[in-house]
Each structure stands twice: as structure tokens, then as C-alpha cells.
Amino acid sequence: MNDVPLPYRVTQVRDETADTVSLALTPAGPTSLAPFAPGQFAMVYAFGVGEIPVSVSRIDRRELVHTVRSVGAVSAALCALRPGAHVGLRGPFGTGWELDRATGQDMLVVAGGIGLAPLRPLVFDALAAPRAYGRMNLLIGARTPHDVLYSQQVHAWTAAHGPLHCGVTVDRPAPGRLGHVGVVTTLLNGARFEPRNTTAFICGPEVMIRATARDLLQRGLPAHRIRVSLERNMRCATGHCGHCQLGGVLMCRDGPVIGWDRAESLLSVREL
Amino acid sequence: MTDSPAISVLDREGLDALVKTLTTEGRTVVGPTVRDGAVVLSELASADQLPFGWGTRVEAGHYRLIPREDGAAFAHTSGPQSWKTFLHPQREKLWSADRGADGQLSLTAEQPEQPSYAFLGVRPCDLRAIAIQDRVLTGGHYQDSGYRERRSGAFLIAAECTEPGATCFCVSMGGGPAADNGFDLALTEVVDEAGHRFLVRVGSEAGAEVLSHVPRCQADVETQTAARRAVDAARDRMGRAMPPVSLRTLMGQSLEADRWDDVADRCLTCGNCTMVCPTCFCTTTEEVTDLTGDHAERWQRWDSCFDLDFSYLHGGPVRSSPRSRYRQWLTHKLSTWYDQFDSSGCVGCGRCVTWCPVGIDITEEASALHDELEARLRLQEQAEQQERTEKVQ
Ligand code: SF4
Ligand code: SF4
């Protein structure tokens, strides 16, 4: 490891769900990290606690947004930060979604739970140049309606009749809320895409990624056009700590976004 | 073989003069010495501290010092440490963080002056192990700066092998007891009627420079021949061997093998094998805070893929069964290392075999996996043949 984190200031804290928070960060000093691409991640350092990898969920010139779910000591400390606090940031690390791959094709973005976070900047970029792509679909799965991230934004997308078809499904409905119930793959039938000419971007729990990718393969999407983002334990993000291995893949370097042509066999071995 | 000015001979005093020359240059000389019943690596002030007259008897899960009548200094096999103890130390501070009154963070890189090492008695397998760690820690997009500095300043004196141990299998890993490159100086110890001496070959300009300060003789044909013979003979006396197949392919085809359950029944998941292995590089990080709560330090320390926390991902470890953790270690060493760093992760030094408390032997496990795969492929072929004959009928 060599680079020391750069101090970033928390400019805004947004509660997304009961356990998930979005932190808007700007450089505390004159220097900032190199630009991030959608799908890439930073190592975010909570003073006195530790560092975790977090994907960027919004990229706005010098400002970065990271959406963090409180699941461990570091993420809990990050979720408890208030505006004005400082964090340390290293990055950008890893492979991005590479939206270019979808140029001239239909686009299928499938998100499960917190998996929507790394996909959000991809959707923003695609919407900024809708003519470059065919039909655009965003399919979102969550445990309950309260667990849908960026709910206002998602609501606006589902209600609009723009270039983006957006569908939401939940495992368990909340009383008084209408909507689709079921796993996210049940939304595929309502999506508008020509399988042989589609690029898919998937992020979520591994079971959901597997189920979605298999469904898409069956519909005729070539494996290399299915891009998935995976997660592994990570300490350094620079390829030296060995923690993020998945078979021959070093997730910090070769991932987190990889093609299903490479991921499929790796994810089919238990406890690899 | 002809006399060459690049090849010289040192006696025991010459070896000591070499150590003194390096020390005078401000180098920390590290080499093998006897302590607590083992040959360990330690800082040396004089060549007299080398394990003259000590050999080793090793087996799977077994290591013992044995006295040698010939007084040889480099007739022992790998001890429990390797040079990574010095180049990639167990614990290293990465940075410190201070929090000001207003919550502002300032982060400072740890950039201590690194020692300038001279390693005396680096085995050919360990030369290859150092080259492997070089690729892992400095060969990619990001470089481990501490390692890079220690490594680029290190002076390597190889000692070729004339007494391979019962757990050695470097030849079957594509190596051998001869030092071909990657050293500044290479020694070959010769003990016979003509005396106790060390043939020295120069491998770099720095090596030639250091050697120019050391009293030495030009190498005679007899010493050169004796040295070559001893190293050649060592090549044929390896204690163990890997199965002569592509281990990379074998591991890739064995991910669901039954043998993993068998070895998991014996493995204690203690991680000893990863600690003693000269190529294992994995680390974790620790956060240390002081009492004021406004000063924190980030430390890196060795970690092991046998540790449950190693693969922890919110909720639990990805690799919880001992089967999956042993599989991770072996397949990484012999197969996925190629995908990641373009080489094998094993040099055949035998340490993991010797220092495993229950004597699990990497070569035996690889052979068993090979046998299992062969049997499976045979069965498959038989089934296919049967299917073909049934179709014909
Ligand atoms: S795996 Fe075992 S034999 Fe191979 S380099 Fe490591 S310790 Fe030596
Ligand atoms: S193989 Fe041996 S040394 Fe390695 S973890 Fe298992 S018991 Fe420990």
C-alpha cells in the first residue's frame, strides 16, 4: 500500500432507508482524487475505526456521493457522521461499468437492494445521452417498499414516460402500498429489450445476480454482454492484501465489474 | 571449465571479511544462525555466527538440527523463516491520522528510513520466492513503497544447495539447487581434502564492487569442478516431487474434488504453512488509537487465508469450511497465482511441509488430486464409450 487517504468533508447526509445513508463528500483541501467512473469504488476511512470499499453512487465534478449501509463497525461509523465531519478517501479503484459497451444497444440495468447505489451514476450518464442507446430499462428489487433507495428519484422515473422504463418489485409489500411483489427477474417480462442486442448491468446480492444472469442467458443475451458487480472482503484495494480473491480474480483490480463469461464458473463453486 | 576472473574462492576468513565489508558499508547483514534448536535468520556481526557444523533433518511435520563433522555452514535446509520477514515484515505502520479540534483530519504517510540489508545465504528457491514477491508487491499498477525501498536496497548473496532436505522439491517446480540469476554474489560451499572454501560468482556490478574489497583467490579448476558436481548431485537428490503435470490445469479441474474433505479432516487451519511460506504475501490492517482519541495509526500485518475473518463479508465468511480454506491456499499457490501474477506461487522450498504441525504435504495432496482426477476422467471415458456402443447396437 502506498497512498495515504485524502481528507474529504461531508457536505450532506441523507437518510435513504432505515439503515442506509448517502454521504456527499468534497475535498477538504486543494487536491482531489482522480475522476471516478460509474462502477468504480473508493476506500472510505472512518477516523479511528477503519476503511471499507464503497462504490460511488453519484459523481458530480469534485463532489462524490457514497451510499453506505450500516452492516459493520466502519459502515456504522460512516452512517453516524454529520455534515462537517471528515473522512479519508483513496481511489478511484477497480473496473467501471463501461457504459460505452451499450452504445447502439438496448440497456438493461438490474439492481437488488443496495446494488442500486453503484448503478445510479450509470443511469444518470445514460439518461444524459439517451440517443446513444436503444431502449433503456431499470429494474429494481428490494425487500420492502421502505428499502428502495433514492425513493423520490425512483418514483419520478417510474411515473415518467421518458426514455427510461423503470420497474420496482418487493419481496414483502407494505400495508397500503400498491406495487409489484416478487423477485426482480419477474420484471424482465415487462422490460423492453431485444436480447440479442442488449447490454445488461447487474448489481445486488449474489443469489439475485446469479438468478438474473441465468434468466438473461436463457433469453439469448451473450454472457460477455452481462456485466455484474461483485463484492469481496478488501483491505488494501491495491492488489497486495490478497483478501478480495475470487479464484483468479483480484476483485480490487480485475473487478468489481466483470463479465458473466468470467463470473459464471467462479460463482458456481461453493465457498470459492 | 576454464578459470575465469569473475569466479573466485574465499576461505572462512574471506567469508568473514565479506561480512565486515558489508557492515562497514552501513549494511545490516542478515544470515542463518543457530538459535533455540533451529537455523533462524538473524542479524550477523561476523561470519562465525553462521551455522558451521550444523545440518538439519526434516520430514513432514518434523525438523531437527544434527551436528555435521565436515563443519559446513550451508548444509542445512530452510528454517521456519524466510527473507520476507525482512522485506515484507510481519507488522508495518502505513500512516497516522490526527483529528483537530474542528474535526479536521490530517493524514501522514509513514516513511521511515529503510535498512539497507545484505542477505547472506539466500537459497536458490528463496531467490525465486523473492522474485515472486517482487512481482506481487511492486510489479503491478500500485507498488508497496516500503517493500520497494527495502528490496531495491538489498544486497543478495546466494548459497547454492548441496544438501537438499527430505521436504525439498524445487526441481519439480521448475527450479533447482543452482543459483542462475537474481543475486549480487553466489556462493557454493566446498568441503573436501583440499579444505573448506567457498566458490564465489559475481552476479552484478554491486557484487563485483563489494568483492573487490575482500581477500580472495582466483578459482582453481578443482574447486570449480567440485562445486558443480555437488550442485548437480543435489539436483538428483530432491526429497520430494510434484506430479509431472500442469499443476495449474490440475487445480482448475479439481475445485469440486473429494480430496479436499480428506485433507480438511487433518488440517487444523492454524495457518502455519502461510506464515512460513516465502511467497505468501497476504496482509490485513489494524486501526490503533491512543487514549486522547484524536490520534490513530493504520498498521498492516501478515494475515492468513486460513483465518475465518479473512473472507468475512457482511454476515459471515465466504470460506467457512476448512475444506474451502485449504482449497484456497493450494489452488492459489499452484494455479490462480498464474492468473494474478503470471507465475506459480510455489518454489518448492518445502517449508510448509516441514512446519505443518500435522505433516500435511503439499506434494502428496497434489498427487492425490491428480489421481482423483485421472480416475474421474477414466470413468467418464468408459461411460462415453458405453454410450457409443449402445447407440451402435
Ligand atoms: S507452498 Fe510450501 S513449498 Fe511452496 S514455496 Fe510455499 S512454503 Fe515453500
Ligand atoms: S496445512 Fe498444516 S500448517 Fe497449513 S493450516 Fe493446515 S494444519 Fe496448519
Side-chain angles (χ1 to χ4, degrees):
Chain A
M1 204 181 305
N2 40 339
D3 280 345
V4 162
L6 268 188
Y8 268 65
R9 191 163 43 86
V10 178
T11 51
Q12 210 190 10
V13 180
R14 233 188 124 94
D15 291 334
E16 301 290 358
T17 70
D19 60 2
T20 304
V21 158
S22 285
L23 302 172
L25 307 170
T26 51
T31 42
S32 52
L33 296 175
F36 282 69
Q40 288 192 303
F41 68 93
M43 291 300 281
V44 187
Y45 170 62
F47 175 80
V49 190
E51 247 188 338
I52 49 167
V54 189
S55 298
V56 279
S57 64
R58 183 170 195 134
I59 305 157
D60 198 357
R61 267 174 286 161
R62 293 187 83 215
E63 186 181 86
L64 296 170
V65 177
H66 284 98
T67 302
V68 185
R69 183 161 158 234
S70 174
V71 286
V74 181
S75 54
L78 291 173
C79 285
L81 291 177
R82 304 276 46 114
H86 279 197
V87 296
L89 228 55
R90 294 191 292 132
F93 294 117
T95 53
W97 291 112
E98 298 170 7
L99 178 59
D100 287 3
R101 291 170 181 255
T103 306
Q105 301 204 330
D106 290 339
M107 243 181 92
L108 195 55
V109 178
V110 190
I114 184 96
L116 181 56
L119 286 165
R120 186 172 66 160
L122 176 84
V123 174
F124 284 145
D125 280 5
L127 284 174
R131 262 189 288 252
Y133 316 100
R135 291 162 294 185
M136 291 191 264
N137 303 271
L138 171 61
L139 312 180
I140 299 169
R143 270 177 302 167
T144 74
H146 305 292
D147 294 307
V148 178
L149 292 184
Y150 321 125
S151 50
Q152 273 181 336
Q153 175 74 74
V154 168
H155 189 75
W157 280 334
T158 43
H161 292 284
L164 179 73
H165 162 80
C166 179
V168 179
T169 181
V170 295
D171 297 337
R172 278 178 285 124
R177 292 249 207 149
L178 294 175
H180 200 288
V181 177
V183 292
V184 75
T185 45
T186 58
L187 294 177
L188 285 171
N189 283 335
R192 305 162 306 174
F193 63 102
E194 165 52 49
R196 281 173 207 295
N197 191 38
T198 295
T199 299
F201 302 94
I202 314 174
C203 186
E206 253 170 54
V207 277
M208 168 267 175
I209 291 180
R210 242 189 312 244
T212 311
R214 279 180 190 156
D215 194 319
L216 293 176
L217 271 188
Q218 264 172 17
R219 288 169 195 255
L221 252 82
H224 71 275
R225 290 236 198 82
I226 303 175
R227 309 266 296 153
V228 303
S229 178
L230 302 176
E231 205 181 356
R232 281 296 176 269
N233 186 308
M234 209 174 274
R235 314 306 300 190
C236 73
T238 54
H240 303 145
C241 78
H243 281 252
C244 67
Q245 296 176 64
L246 172 63
V249 170
L250 276 180
M251 207 55 79
C252 69
R253 182 188 78 179
D254 311 324
V257 181
I258 60 175
W260 188 246
D261 47 336
R262 189 149 188 215
E264 183 174 25
S265 60
L266 299 171
L267 291 185
S268 68
V269 181
R270 273 193 62 214
E271 293 191 281
L272 194 70
Chain B
M1 212 177 294
T2 53
D3 277 5
S4 144
I7 307 186
S8 23
V9 175
L10 301 182
D11 56 11
R12 228 177 121 157
E13 282 75 54
L15 195 60
D16 194 45
L18 176 60
V19 171
K20 299 271 157 51
T21 304
L22 290 162
T23 320
T24 313
E25 281 187 356
R27 291 183 179 274
T28 303
V29 180
V30 180
T33 191
V34 170
R35 190 195 299 152
D36 301 331
V39 175
V40 298
L41 298 176
S42 173
E43 195 175 332
L44 303 180
S46 146
D48 292 341
Q49 292 165 272
L50 291 167
F52 284 104
W54 287 104
T56 42
R57 189 172 297 139
V58 293
E59 246 319 318
H62 183 88
Y63 177 98
R64 203 146 66 91
L65 282 184
I66 43 162
R68 290 178 65 95
E69 303 214 320
D70 64 359
F74 296 111
H76 54 88
T77 48
S78 305
Q81 294 156 302
S82 69
W83 308 94
K84 80 172 177 184
T85 307
F86 301 92
L87 292 175
H88 184 44
Q90 288 219 12
R91 262 174 80 74
E92 191 174 10
K93 190 164 145 191
L94 298 173
W95 76 69
S96 49
D98 289 281
R99 185 167 56 185
D102 44 4
Q104 277 190 344
L105 269 192
S106 58
L107 293 132
T108 322
E110 180 72 7
Q111 284 167 318
E113 216 191 300
Q114 301 289 357
S116 161
Y117 285 121
F119 296 156
L120 173 57
V122 184
R123 297 303 185 174
C125 60
D126 283 345
L127 283 178
R128 288 183 281 270
I130 290 171
I132 289 175
Q133 284 214 329
D134 287 352
R135 266 198 301 282
V136 173
L137 297 172
T138 60
H141 182 66
Y142 299 98
Q143 301 202 342
D144 181 319
S145 52
Y147 179 91
R148 186 186 56 217
E149 268 173 56
R150 288 182 294 269
R151 175 67 180 92
S152 62
F155 186 89
L156 304 188
I157 307 169
E160 297 194 300
C161 289
T162 52
E163 285 284 331
T167 57
C168 289
F169 58 97
C170 64
V171 170
S172 63
M173 290 311 295
D180 302 321
N181 49 44
F183 54 81
D184 294 295
L185 295 174
L187 307 176
T188 317
E189 187 171 32
V190 180
V191 196
D192 57 19
E193 316 77 59
H196 190 171
R197 57 213 191 273
F198 303 88
L199 191 79
V200 191
R201 286 180 295 135
V202 170
S204 72
E205 274 176 38
E209 209 286 317
V210 167
L211 196 62
S212 71
H213 302 288
V214 176
R216 65 202 187 283
C217 306
Q218 197 172 319
D220 54 300
V221 178
E222 290 71 31
T223 304
Q224 292 193 50
T225 312
R228 261 324 100 213
R229 273 208 194 116
V231 175
D232 285 346
R235 170 170 285 277
D236 301 327
R237 283 166 48 219
M238 288 291 128
R240 279 168 162 72
M242 277 291 190
V245 295
S246 160
L247 298 170
R248 184 183 187 181
T249 314
L250 169 63
M251 293 299 138
Q253 294 180 313
S254 299
L255 294 176
E256 308 280 14
D258 294 333
R259 182 69 184 187
W260 305 120
D261 289 325
D262 183 279
V263 66
D265 278 345
R266 288 170 280 136
C267 176
L268 313 173
T269 66
C270 65
N272 270 14
C273 47
T274 59
M275 298 292 117
V276 297
C277 177
T279 67
C280 271
F281 59 85
C282 291
T283 52
T284 187
T285 41
E286 278 171 359
E287 187 80 1
V288 182
T289 43
D290 73 359
L291 285 176
T292 67
D294 288 326
H295 178 77
E297 289 177 352
R298 196 87 182 138
W299 286 78
Q300 169 181 293
R301 65 164 171 81
W302 287 358
D303 201 359
S304 169
C305 54
F306 283 95
D307 197 290
L308 264 181
D309 274 346
F310 189 86
S311 63
Y312 188 91
L313 202 60
H314 32 81
V318 172
R319 291 185 283 273
S320 56
S321 69
R323 166 193 161 94
S324 68
R325 282 177 276 153
Y326 187 85
R327 180 181 64 192
Q328 168 61 25
W329 141 255
L330 200 68
T331 54
H332 188 214
K333 287 279 128 185
L334 302 178
S335 174
T336 50
W337 205 293
Y338 284 98
D339 300 313
Q340 296 165 3
F341 307 110
D342 246 355
S343 77
S344 169
C346 173
V347 296
C349 73
R351 284 185 180 88
C352 58
V353 184
T354 305
W355 299 97
C356 173
V358 292
I360 291 172
D361 173 350
I362 183 172
T363 64
E364 191 185 320
E365 295 313 314
S367 298
L369 287 165
H370 174 57
D371 294 346
E372 184 178 337
L373 180 64
E374 293 272 279
R376 201 174 75 215
L377 294 178
R378 255 198 315 276
L379 276 180
Q380 246 168 35
E381 204 174 312
Q382 276 167 13
E384 274 162 29
Q385 205 147 30
Q386 198 162 359
E387 209 172 301
R388 274 197 297 272
T389 19
E390 270 164 24
K391 262 194 204 135
V392 171
Q393 281 165 357

